[in-house]
Amino acid sequence: MAGEILFFKGTKSCVIFLAFCLVATCLLAEAEVHNLTWEVSYQYKSLDCYKKLAIAINGETPGPTINATEGDTIIVNVKNNLLMENLAIHWHGIRQIGTPWSDGTDGVSQCGTMPGDTFVYQFVVDKAGTYMYHSHYGMQRESGLYGLIEVSVPSGTKEPFTYDGEHGVVLSDWYHSSSYEQATGLTSIPYVWIGEPQSLLINGRGKYDCANLSASVCNAANPECAPSSFTVVPGETYRFRIASLTSLSALSFQIEGHNMTVVEADGNYVEPFATENLYIYAGETYSVLVTANQSSSRNYWITTNVVSRNASTPIGQAILNYYPNQNLIPPNTTPPPGPLWNDVDARKNQSLAIEARQGYIQIPPHPDKVIVLLNTQNKVDGYTKWAINNVSHTLPETPYLIALKKNWLDVFDQTPAPESYDYENYDIYSVQNNTNATTSSSIYRLEFNSTVDVILQNANTMTANNSETHPWHLHGHDFWVLGFGDGKYDMKNNDANYKFKNPIMKNTVPLHPYGWTALRFQANNPGIWLFHCHIEAHFLLGMLVLFESGSSMVSVPPQANMGCGKTKSLMQP
Amino acid sequence: MAGEILFFKGTKSCVIFLAFCLVATCLLAEAEVHNLTWEVSYQYKSLDCYKKLAIAINGETPGPTINATEGDTIIVNVKNNLLMENLAIHWHGIRQIGTPWSDGTDGVSQCGTMPGDTFVYQFVVDKAGTYMYHSHYGMQRESGLYGLIEVSVPSGTKEPFTYDGEHGVVLSDWYHSSSYEQATGLTSIPYVWIGEPQSLLINGRGKYDCANLSASVCNAANPECAPSSFTVVPGETYRFRIASLTSLSALSFQIEGHNMTVVEADGNYVEPFATENLYIYAGETYSVLVTANQSSSRNYWITTNVVSRNASTPIGQAILNYYPNQNLIPPNTTPPPGPLWNDVDARKNQSLAIEARQGYIQIPPHPDKVIVLLNTQNKVDGYTKWAINNVSHTLPETPYLIALKKNWLDVFDQTPAPESYDYENYDIYSVQNNTNATTSSSIYRLEFNSTVDVILQNANTMTANNSETHPWHLHGHDFWVLGFGDGKYDMKNNDANYKFKNPIMKNTVPLHPYGWTALRFQANNPGIWLFHCHIEAHFLLGMLVLFESGSSMVSVPPQANMGCGKTKSLMQP
């Protein structure tokens, strides 16, 4: 029953005819089913010329791009060919309406899929736009298990902009240490920070400086690390679908000599604006239009650079190839270094510039409640953590979705998660003791269909004069981006602080240093959903919360989602 | 019921009084229960001065030694604190009579224990002797997840030799690459061999040459890699309980200026013989008696070196400390380099020298059948494998023990595994095509309580003039070591080839290059049991077989053993 509804999502008239038409006929006419088979394994890759293990899907890192049309059903049979490591894959930006068990989040929607096992994800891509997928298991994303999802508008439907061709761009940062090494340092006493990435990759290609390393370890001539190139025909306009899959880095993206017009963000249309550089945070996607209107006698640099952290990481480079020039001929110009890492105002201005496109504005309903989330770095029992309202989250061994359905009260902390902090007395500009910081698996329970405002409040870290940028991502929903501001959010004058003019909907939004970000969403997708900082290390250290709503309306997840924690008690030997 | 029998194993009279005495009282009088709690995690360790990840139990690598008395029950609550990796721990040498679900073998007795989960192993140590435990999941053992099990004779019982004190010695080889890196190379096309280990460790301490490496990576002054030292009082005699947990290396072990008297092998008493160096293969244990009868004015070197492979690995060193000298003062003599790596005859001679001790000889029954197992290196679909009778084994996703109990015929290949090879025509001295090599999950089904001879037949690898040493280990049983020989075993004159004089029982035995090894066991332990080469890389590449016998008499394994493969179908959401 659920499956049938899924197949016809977006074509309601067809549902009416369900009893009269054969399913197959209806599918052919209305929506396609993409049945993909993926084998996930470790492979040696030289993505930035330095040879190290990466996780590959069917041999590729990043994985294959999923191309589909709005309303299509995606079935991905994920075979775990890792030797000892489990996995879970999240379909980032896909709301999983009616299919919360396919959200691919370890500890929330499923147990990890064990080596040798196959997990079948099935979901509908119900909204055109640019999305991504990536591992949501431990720090596994860091190993390269990610890729793009490109969803086109249905045939006969027009987008509010035109272009002649398109290119997919996966931006990521790349470490030479393993996810195990990183995680061990982060969870040790003394705390060992992962440091800045060795490289930035554009479609899985970067350039590490191989000087002083043997060619068997690092070979600059390896074709695997030749720069990505994007071919354009002079005079034509291209849509670049850009996703940031970084573990840590906030990025700027630029194309030498070309302006970009931003038209889409996280699957929602943006009132177009032009920019020389696109700021993009981990978990965000954008579409920009680029017209090949420069001299066609040469190629141009495409670069990406780290912002918001004073990183030593060199810029990532690719080539905009003007047809019919050879695609790998590098321009003899200096690659644009991108904006200064510490130009916070420029980044805030871009955040404020992103509005919903005229004709696509969805008016948010009035909120039923406000939750304020203070973001802090903390120490708990000597371990460095990140916490929300002084609670650093620990995921339970048994996935929440199953625990909720089975009413297992002992699986997670039943105390309600804190909805605010001591905002009158907390000084966000200084290092705070946070002596009452703790860990918990508690959740926020929201009334189904209620509308909730969430205020993300940034603060100083445990280092003086330091506040970081956190890209927050919500599963299962888009939210309205109501506003950004500096300093402490004024709880007494909510609306006055909101931007609120044609707010765009997104699924990921930055929280800027020492600032606040306000967003609103409708808890209208039955289940339990992560809301978290998309920096891999921050997530590992507890920078996440969970929103439950209407989970009683969801059926029990399939057997495939089980196998860990208390779910074993469901087995009848 | 099974549990009760376990508690009183070895004290049959107590079982009779079961109805009359309280369990607790009885336990106090007869056998102890050791309830251990282990947390398994990755930690940075500098075992050979080079800093890298190791798997630790309660912070220690190698893990803690289990000390118990014959008849005791061991309960180990293993909490998996690895971030993304499952685990399983095998209690090597413990026969698990009546508890096959505690054998700790992924794919055979259990699914891997997932991160966050706790697996409770419970078994009786029913025979005094020296044993070991180690990971039996993928190539996880290579990360240092291992330790000693020392089982004493019951109070009131005397061993056939005396000593004043004892020392435990864990020998291992140590790689700086991760288990993931090793496994990926081994299972790739082109095949990448793991190479020789960087160090040999004695009780987790070795000495890598830190020259040209920064002190943050390799620090020769790190106390973590100070040599192990074993203190002896002049004139006294010590039992050294020695276990080899190497991934690859066959070793020789020697103590400068001291003879060793071998008295125990794999938990069985050896007719004593003296030696200057003890050859020990991965998976073997020995007890040797050493008398501190040299000048007490100084300390002495203890060393271990690689044999049977032309390895560049430096010798491992420890210190025999004569009380009251300071324990870490190195002798100013040259550490004994040990025997030549290629002195095969010396190793064969030691194999032949190991007989059961007078008074402890168990006469083997006549065999009911003979199985011949040809050991070869093969190519299957371009992948390098190891095969037995041209079948390279692949473990199923669902553990055999559960599949057998549930009669799931589709879990593994139901074709009987081959009991012989073309011994008339196969040339063991040359590189063979082995074009009919294949992979399979087939097993050997043995009549319960039958007696089976197994002839291990070595051959040339895929490299000309090369035949390797393979230490074969049987789970769930001890076997009689009937003989060793050179060349091809003569199938027509079985007994003539057997040594058969006072055969000792063991659980691990070497197969020498271009030779054969004959052993016999009684299939009297209901369940399904691995028999495999104990070299980690060879096991990964399929050098294993399975012996099933009387599995119908075993009850279905507990829920904790499940969670992977077809066991998920047992869940009732």
Side-chain angles (χ1 to χ4, degrees), chain B residues 280-315:
Chain B
I280 182 166
Y281 304 90
E284 285 192 320
T285 68
Y286 288 97
S287 285
V288 297
L289 299 183
V290 178
T291 301
N293 55 9
Q294 299 300 303
S295 162
S296 64
S297 63
R298 68 167 181 105
N299 294 335
Y300 296 83
W301 288 113
I302 294 175
T303 66
T304 187
N305 64 294
V306 174
V307 293
S308 105
R309 303 181 63 88
N310 190 3
S312 53
T313 313
I315 60 170

Side-chain angles (χ1 to χ4, degrees), chain B residues 416-476:
Chain B
E419 299 195 352
S420 190
Y421 71 106
D422 181 9
Y423 73 95
E424 302 227 335
N425 300 307
Y426 194 96
D427 179 5
I428 65 161
Y429 291 104
S430 67
V431 176
Q432 299 286 299
N433 264 332
N434 296 321
T435 47
N436 57 342
T438 183
T439 60
S440 173
S441 55
S442 63
I443 65 175
Y444 296 88
R445 290 178 182 262
L446 306 176
E447 194 180 339
F448 186 66
N449 262 335
S450 68
T451 301
V452 181
D453 278 10
V454 176
I455 316 296
L456 292 161
Q457 177 64 58
N458 216 335
N460 207 98
T461 64
M462 292 193 304
T463 305
N465 300 312
N466 179 248
S467 180
E468 301 194 359
T469 305
H470 302 287
W472 278 84
H473 170 61
L474 179 60
H475 290 224

Side-chain angles (χ1 to χ4, degrees), chain A residues 275-294:
Chain A
T275 186
E276 281 183 27
N277 59 278
L278 177 77
Y279 293 109
I280 182 166
Y281 303 91
E284 285 192 319
T285 68
Y286 287 97
S287 285
V288 298
L289 299 182
V290 177
T291 301
N293 56 9
Q294 299 300 303

Side-chain angles (χ1 to χ4, degrees), chain A residues 42-44 53 83-86 111-112 114-117 137-140 179-181 183-185 397 406 540 556-557 559-560 562-565 567-573, chain B residues 42-44 53 83-86 111-112 114-117 137-140 179-181 183-185 397 406 540 556-557 559-560 562-565 567-573:
Chain A
Y42 272 109
Q43 302 201 354
Y44 274 103
L53 288 188
L83 182 64
M84 300 183 286
E85 184 175 319
N86 306 311
C111 298
M114 296 184 81
D117 283 352
Y137 191 82
M139 286 188 80
Q140 195 172 56
S179 53
Y180 292 91
E181 290 168 327
T184 301
E397 283 92 60
K406 306 303 293 185
L540 181 77
V556 180
Q559 290 168 333
M562 303 180 177
C564 61
T567 68
K568 284 193 175 179
S569 67
L570 299 175
M571 276 183 289
Q572 315 273 310
Chain B
Y42 271 109
Q43 303 201 354
Y44 273 103
L53 286 188
L83 181 64
M84 300 183 286
E85 185 175 321
N86 306 312
C111 298
M114 296 184 81
D117 283 354
Y137 192 82
M139 285 187 81
Q140 195 172 56
S179 52
Y180 292 90
E181 290 168 328
T184 302
E397 283 93 60
K406 306 304 292 185
L540 181 78
V556 179
Q559 289 168 333
M562 304 181 176
C564 60
T567 68
K568 285 194 175 178
S569 68
L570 299 175
M571 276 182 290
Q572 314 275 313

Side-chain angles (χ1 to χ4, degrees), chain B residues 34-357:
Chain B
H34 304 262
N35 201 324
L36 309 171
T37 299
W38 286 2
E39 302 218 342
V40 178
S41 64
Y42 271 109
Q43 303 201 354
Y44 273 103
K45 297 279 185 188
S46 298
L47 302 185
D48 65 351
C49 307
Y50 182 95
K51 188 174 172 184
K52 62 156 293 210
L53 286 188
I55 294 183
I57 298 173
N58 297 343
E60 295 177 51
T61 312
T65 296
I66 297 178
N67 281 288
T69 300
E70 182 177 298
D72 286 357
T73 293
I74 311 292
I75 301 173
V76 192
N77 305 275
V78 180
K79 170 82 188 291
N80 182 353
N81 280 347
L82 306 173
L83 181 64
M84 300 183 286
E85 185 175 321
N86 306 312
L87 59 77
I89 299 181
H90 172 56
W91 316 92
H92 181 118
I94 309 300
R95 292 168 297 175
Q96 303 289 354
I97 296 167
T99 52
W101 43 77
S102 277
D103 196 44
T105 45
D106 172 56
V108 181
S109 66
Q110 66 167 95
C111 298
T113 302
M114 296 184 81
D117 283 354
T118 296
F119 190 99
V120 183
Y121 293 95
Q122 179 168 345
F123 52 88
V124 172
V125 287
D126 60 4
K127 191 158 65 74
T130 306
Y131 308 101
M132 63 179 87
Y133 62 82
H134 59 77
S135 168
H136 221 300
Y137 192 82
M139 285 187 81
Q140 195 172 56
R141 187 176 95 222
E142 189 272 339
S143 303
L145 180 41
Y146 44 69
L148 269 183
I149 304 174
E150 301 178 348
V151 182
S152 312
V153 293
S155 67
T157 308
K158 279 199 172 161
E159 291 191 288
F161 45 83
T162 59
Y163 47 94
D164 305 298
E166 66 176 71
H167 289 294
V169 182
V170 173
L171 303 177
S172 57
D173 48 12
W174 196 240
Y175 285 87
H176 295 173
S177 56
S178 71
S179 52
Y180 292 90
E181 290 168 328
Q182 291 189 21
T184 302
L186 291 168
T187 57
S188 291
I189 297 176
Y191 174 74
V192 182
W193 172 240
I194 57 172
E196 299 299 322
Q198 277 65 59
S199 306
L200 298 179
L201 307 183
I202 299 178
N203 283 355
R205 286 151 182 275
K207 195 69 86 181
Y208 184 69
D209 180 3
C210 289
N212 304 323
L213 289 169
S214 80
S216 64
V217 172
C218 195
N219 176 8
N222 190 328
E224 271 191 58
C225 58
S228 299
S229 103
F230 302 89
T231 300
V232 293
V233 172
E236 300 211 321
T237 295
Y238 292 84
R239 177 182 191 167
F240 282 74
R241 294 178 181 265
I242 307 166
S244 174
L245 270 308
T246 55
S247 311
L248 171 68
S249 310
L251 298 176
S252 174
F253 176 86
Q254 43 271 330
I255 305 176
E256 182 191 14
H258 293 73
N259 263 347
M260 299 176 278
T261 302
V262 180
V263 293
E264 183 221 336
D266 296 0
N268 296 282
Y269 295 128
V270 172
E271 181 65 19
F273 69 95
T275 186
E276 280 181 30
N277 58 280
L278 176 78
Y279 293 109
I280 182 166
Y281 304 90
E284 285 192 320
T285 68
Y286 288 97
S287 285
V288 297
L289 299 183
V290 178
T291 301
N293 55 9
Q294 299 300 303
S295 162
S296 64
S297 63
R298 68 167 181 105
N299 294 335
Y300 296 83
W301 288 113
I302 294 175
T303 66
T304 187
N305 64 294
V306 174
V307 293
S308 105
R309 303 181 63 88
N310 190 3
S312 53
T313 313
I315 60 170
Q317 303 180 13
I319 294 172
L320 184 74
N321 164 237
Y322 267 61
Y323 182 85
N325 298 317
Q326 281 189 33
N327 70 339
L328 285 181
I329 293 181
N332 55 14
T333 51
T334 303
L340 292 176
W341 72 271
N342 55 359
D343 186 354
V344 186
D345 286 343
R347 297 204 303 280
K348 287 179 189 165
N349 286 340
Q350 188 193 288
S351 291
L352 291 165
I354 298 169
E355 296 182 2
R357 187 175 185 121

Side-chain angles (χ1 to χ4, degrees), chain B residues 382-414:
Chain B
Y383 291 93
T384 297
K385 297 278 188 184
W386 285 88
I388 302 306
N389 295 341
N390 262 344
V391 176
S392 179
H393 196 95
T394 50
L395 290 170
E397 283 93 60
T398 309
Y400 283 106
L401 191 59
I402 301 168
L404 286 166
K405 291 311 299 177
K406 306 304 292 185
N407 203 27
W408 287 334
L409 301 179
D410 56 332
V411 162
F412 62 92
D413 186 352
Q414 298 294 312

